[in-house]
Amino acid sequence: MKIYKLYSSAFLLSVLFNCCTKLDEKVYDKVDATGFLTRRDDVIRDFLRPFEHGYWSIQGNDLYAATENSTDEIGTYNRQGDWQNGGEYQRMHYHTWTSVDGFTSGVWTNFYQGIVLATNSLQDMESITDPVKLGVKPEELTDFKAELRTLRAWFYLRAFDFYRNIEIITDVKNSTQGNPQSTPQETFAYIEKELTEALPGLPIRAQLSNQGIGRWTKAGAASLLARLYLNAKVYTGTDKFAECEAVCRDIISGKYGSYALDNRWDAPFDYTNALMPSEVIYGFPGTLARTHWQYDGGMYFNSLTYDAAPLYCGFTDFGQANPRYAMQPGRDVDSVEYSFELGKPFVKFQRYPDDVRLKKYRNLGNSTREGMFLYGYLPFTRNVNGVSKADTVRGNKGPYALFIRDQVGMFLDAKPGTRIADKQSNMNHADHNSGVFFVKYPLYPTPDPNRITSAYAEVRLSEIYYTLAECLYRKGDRAGAAGLLNQVRQRNFPAGSPSLYRTDGSQLTDQEMLDEWGREFFGENRRRTDLIRWGVFSTGTWWDKKPDADKHTEIFPIGRDILNVNPQLKQNPGY
C-alpha cells in the first residue's frame, strides 16, 4: 500500500500501514518536520501522537480477544447464536486459527501502526537542531526521544511475543521498502539495546508528579526489560532469569524511582490509580469524555451480561453491555468440578475462600465498590408508576431471570440447583447464564463523578514482585518466592488469614505459581505468555480444549493480507 504522512496542527492523521511497499506515486501531502515543527505545541503534539495509538492498541483489532480466548481463563461462547461470529472465537479457543482469520492481520497492523508512529515522531525529534528556538529545553528533548524509543520497544516486545518472527523498522522518513524478518535473537538484542540505551534519558515518576501517568519513566523501561528477560528462554532458547532478578531487585529497591504496593486489591484499577503514590508504574490516563479503551467493548465493558451495567451497576452512559467475555467454567452442568489442573479460574479463586475479591461486585457509593465478579442473580429496583419493585437482570433470549454460574450449558430458566437433562458444555453450546463475569475496573453509577476515570494499568509494581518471585522459585528459593507473593497477596485477605503462603514456601509448586499468576493478573492480557513460559499452552488440557498436535501454535500466523503486501515476509512455521 501507499505511504501517507498527513499532518494537521494537532495530530499525525495517517501513517504507513506496515511500511512494506515501494512508493509508486508522488505524495503531495507529506510535510517535512522542519516546516511542521515551528513552536513548542507542535513538538508536544508530535511527541504525544503515538501514545494515543498505544492506548487504543491494548485491545484494538481483536488483540485482547485473541490473547485471552486462546488461554484457559476466558471464553467467548456461542450464546444461542450470539457471538458465533463465523466460529472465529471458537478457533481462538481450540487453537485452530489460520492466516485468513482477521485478527492475524489486524494485530500486526495494530503493532506496526504504533511502531511507525513512534518512529516517525522520533525522527522528527532527532531532526530538531535548536530546541530552544521551539520553546523546548534540551533536557526535555532528550526525554522525548528516550520515551519514544521506549514506547516503540513496547510495541516491538508485544509483536515479538505474538508473532516472534518480525521485521525491525527504524526509518520511515527515507525508506520505502519493507524489511525481511529478523531472527528472534536479533529482535531480542534490538529490544534490549533500545531499552538500555533509552533508560538513562528517561525521568523518574516523581519528576513528572501526578501528570506523569502515560509517560515512560526509568522504572517503566526497566519493567519492560524484566518482561523481556523473564521470557528469554521462550524467545531465544537462552534463559535470562539472573538478569531478570537483578532488574526486579533494582526496581523494588527504588533505583528507578519510588513506588509502593497499594494496600487494597482494587486500588491499582480505581480512579485514584493515576495519582502518586500508586503501584502503577506505567498506565494510560482514561476519562469518560475522551478515551477509556479498557472500558470499551473490545475489553472489559463486554465482560458483563446484558443490562448488568445500567440496571445492576446503575451505569447508563454506554447503554447495554454485550457478554463477549466470561470466565471459563470450573464445573460441569451438574456442578461437579472438572478434574483437569489448568483453567477453572473461578474455582482457583475459591481455593482461598476468604479472598475479598470473591464477593459479588457491588457499588457501595462515594466512588467505592467491593468484589470482582458477577454471579448468581443480579437484583435491582424498578420504578413502576412511582412504586419501587424488586426485579433482577434478564437476558435477551427469554423473559426469565438470569442466574449466572460457573458452568456453561443450556440452563435457560432452570432454577439454581436444578439438574438439567442437557449435559452438553462446549464453546458452541451456551446460554446467557453461562460463565461468571468479571469487573476488574470499577463501573460506578452514572451520577458518580469518578466513573470511567481509572487509568489503564499496563505495568504494576505487583508484576515486578511476582516476576522476582518466579525467578527465586526457579532457582529453588521457595521461601523467598512465598515472601514476595505474600507482600502482594495480603491485601486480598483479612488480617491473620490462613490463606497466606507458609513462610517456607512449601505450598508452592509449578501449578500453584501459575495459578497465582492467574489470580493476581486475571484478565490483564498476559495469561497466554505465562502459559507458554510454563510450558503448558500447547500441551495442556482445560475446559473443552485438548492438547495441540505440536508447539507451532505458541506463535500466531502472520495474516495473509500482510504477506501479500510484503513478499519478503515468510509465514511462521506450521501455518
Side-chain angles (χ1 to χ4, degrees):
M1 63 178 293
K2 309 294 188 296
I3 300 176
Y4 291 92
K5 294 175 184 168
L6 178 62
Y7 290 81
S8 73
S9 61
F11 295 113
L12 176 65
L13 297 177
S14 178
V15 297
L16 173 63
F17 174 41
N18 58 16
C19 200
C20 289
T21 313
K22 183 179 180 181
L23 271 170
D24 59 7
E25 70 177 58
K26 188 172 181 180
V27 181
Y28 292 97
D29 54 358
K30 180 178 176 181
V31 181
D32 188 86
T34 57
F36 170 61
L37 301 177
T38 61
R39 54 181 180 154
R40 178 180 175 83
D41 284 355
D42 297 335
V43 177
I44 299 300
R45 291 185 180 110
D46 194 358
F47 164 65
L48 291 176
R49 175 62 184 94
F51 288 84
E52 180 188 30
H53 176 80
Y55 192 4
W56 173 86
S57 78
I58 62 174
Q59 52 81 52
N61 291 352
D62 266 348
L63 171 62
Y64 185 79
T67 50
E68 286 290 1
N69 275 301
S70 61
T71 76
D72 63 341
E73 67 179 19
I74 287 175
T76 299
Y77 314 126
N78 177 356
R79 297 178 184 270
Q80 299 168 269
D82 292 348
W83 292 112
Q84 199 282 329
N85 287 50
E88 63 179 320
Y89 296 111
Q90 288 74 29
R91 290 191 293 277
M92 290 176 185
H93 181 81
Y94 298 129
H95 297 186
T96 55
W97 48 71
T98 71
S99 62
V100 299
D101 278 302
F103 78 88
T104 62
S105 291
V107 172
W108 182 282
T109 303
N110 176 338
F111 292 145
Y112 275 90
Q113 283 179 333
I115 288 165
V116 168
L117 282 165
T119 302
N120 187 85
S121 293
L122 176 59
Q123 289 186 278
D124 285 346
M125 300 298 123
E126 290 172 338
S127 73
I128 298 173
T129 57
D130 187 358
V132 176
K133 184 177 178 181
L134 299 176
V136 177
K137 297 176 183 178
E139 57 269 26
E140 284 184 301
L141 186 60
T142 298
D143 173 7
F144 294 167
K145 288 187 284 189
E147 288 196 53
L148 287 167
R149 290 183 76 178
T150 305
L151 179 67
R152 185 173 62 179
W154 175 66
F155 280 116
Y156 271 121
L157 179 56
R158 296 153 72 214
F160 187 39
D161 185 77
F162 201 90
Y163 295 105
R164 194 76 77 252
N165 301 296
I166 61 173
E167 59 176 314
I168 295 174
I169 297 169
T170 57
D171 176 22
V172 299
K173 298 289 189 183
N174 308 297
S175 176
T176 60
Q177 292 286 353
N179 303 313
Q181 288 137 302
S182 297
T183 67
Q185 290 75 16
E186 289 169 338
T187 301
F188 185 98
Y190 168 77
I191 296 171
E192 181 182 36
K193 182 173 182 287
E194 284 291 285
L195 292 171
T196 53
E197 290 185 356
L199 207 153
L202 292 167
I204 61 172
R205 178 64 193 277
Q207 292 174 277
L208 302 173
S209 188
N210 288 334
Q211 286 68 49
I213 194 73
R215 299 281 300 276
W216 285 104
T217 61
K218 293 183 188 296
S223 298
L224 296 185
L225 276 172
R227 286 183 180 178
L228 183 69
Y229 291 146
L230 181 64
N231 296 287
K233 183 70 179 289
V234 171
Y235 295 157
T236 68
T238 302
D239 81 59
K240 296 274 187 180
F241 292 117
E243 291 85 345
C244 185
E245 177 183 342
V247 172
C248 289
R249 289 192 184 280
D250 284 344
I251 296 169
I252 292 172
S253 71
K255 178 178 179 179
Y256 301 118
S258 178
Y259 297 86
L261 294 171
D262 287 316
N263 59 15
R264 300 189 341 261
W265 76 266
D266 62 316
F269 317 106
D270 209 354
Y271 71 98
T272 56
N273 68 347
L275 307 177
M276 298 176 63
S278 168
E279 75 170 54
V280 177
I281 292 176
Y282 183 76
F284 292 101
T287 68
L288 175 64
R290 296 184 180 180
T291 49
H292 42 256
W293 287 112
Q294 78 271 31
Y295 281 105
D296 187 73
M299 279 185 84
Y300 299 123
F301 194 68
N302 276 358
S303 63
L304 307 166
T305 192
Y306 287 108
D307 282 336
L311 299 183
Y312 180 72
C313 297
F315 176 76
T316 59
D317 296 73
F318 295 170
Q320 287 181 313
N322 196 345
R324 185 181 188 183
Y325 305 115
M327 301 178 86
Q328 289 183 28
R331 301 177 182 277
D332 66 18
V333 294
D334 290 331
S335 202
V336 177
E337 183 181 336
Y338 290 113
S339 59
F340 37 79
E341 287 296 319
L342 293 169
K344 305 184 292 188
F346 195 63
V347 167
K348 299 292 177 63
F349 276 93
Q350 291 175 316
R351 295 274 167 83
Y352 300 98
D354 58 343
D355 190 331
V356 297
R357 295 171 295 183
L358 279 169
K359 294 181 180 180
K360 185 186 296 187
Y361 179 88
R362 186 165 65 101
N363 287 325
L364 302 176
N366 297 319
S367 306
T368 59
R369 57 95 167 248
E370 67 178 9
M372 198 170 89
F373 304 105
L374 292 177
Y375 52 82
Y377 292 119
L378 301 179
F380 68 97
T381 301
R382 185 187 298 277
N383 187 296
V384 180
N385 297 324
V387 178
S388 295
K389 292 190 175 182
D391 203 343
T392 188
V393 170
R394 303 165 194 276
N396 69 335
K397 299 293 183 180
Y400 51 85
L402 294 179
F403 184 82
I404 299 165
R405 57 199 87 195
D406 187 25
Q407 301 160 272
V408 168
M410 288 291 180
F411 300 97
L412 306 176
D413 60 350
K415 301 299 183 201
T418 303
R419 291 204 169 192
I420 59 176
D422 185 346
K423 305 301 182 185
Q424 283 192 69
S425 180
N426 57 55
M427 287 290 293
N428 276 299
H429 199 71
D431 70 355
H432 286 271
N433 298 286
S434 297
V436 172
F437 295 98
F438 55 99
V439 189
K440 195 97 191 202
Y441 287 78
L443 204 63
Y444 294 136
T446 287
D448 195 304
N450 296 309
R451 69 193 186 282
I452 317 298
T453 57
S454 299
Y456 177 70
E458 168 63 18
V459 183
R460 300 195 275 126
L461 186 61
S462 297
E463 176 185 342
I464 307 306
Y465 274 78
Y466 274 53
T467 299
L468 179 55
E470 182 172 326
C471 292
L472 297 186
Y473 174 84
R474 287 181 180 273
K475 69 178 189 180
D477 184 2
R478 297 190 181 194
L484 287 162
L485 295 175
N486 280 341
Q487 287 187 63
V488 180
R489 295 177 77 244
Q490 62 185 349
R491 66 193 182 194
N492 301 327
F493 307 102
S497 170
S499 294
L500 293 179
Y501 293 132
R502 290 190 286 269
T503 56
D504 63 359
S506 57
Q507 295 152 289
L508 296 182
T509 63
D510 288 7
Q511 186 61 53
E512 181 61 22
M513 289 291 294
L514 190 53
D515 289 348
E516 183 53 31
W517 270 112
R519 281 185 289 262
E520 178 61 31
F521 296 93
F522 180 82
E524 292 187 50
N525 216 1
R526 66 167 296 134
R527 183 63 174 176
R528 171 183 160 274
T529 303
D530 292 336
L531 290 174
I532 292 171
R533 188 176 65 259
W534 286 93
V536 294
F537 180 78
S538 57
T539 63
T541 298
W542 53 85
W543 174 80
D544 197 28
K545 173 69 177 64
K546 293 180 171 57
D548 301 348
D550 55 45
K551 291 188 174 184
H552 82 275
T553 54
E554 292 184 0
I555 55 176
F556 289 107
I558 300 171
R560 181 181 62 183
D561 294 344
I562 303 301
L563 294 174
N564 288 341
V565 169
N566 183 1
Q568 296 188 79
L569 299 179
K570 306 300 181 186
Q571 184 56 276
N572 281 332
Y575 295 107

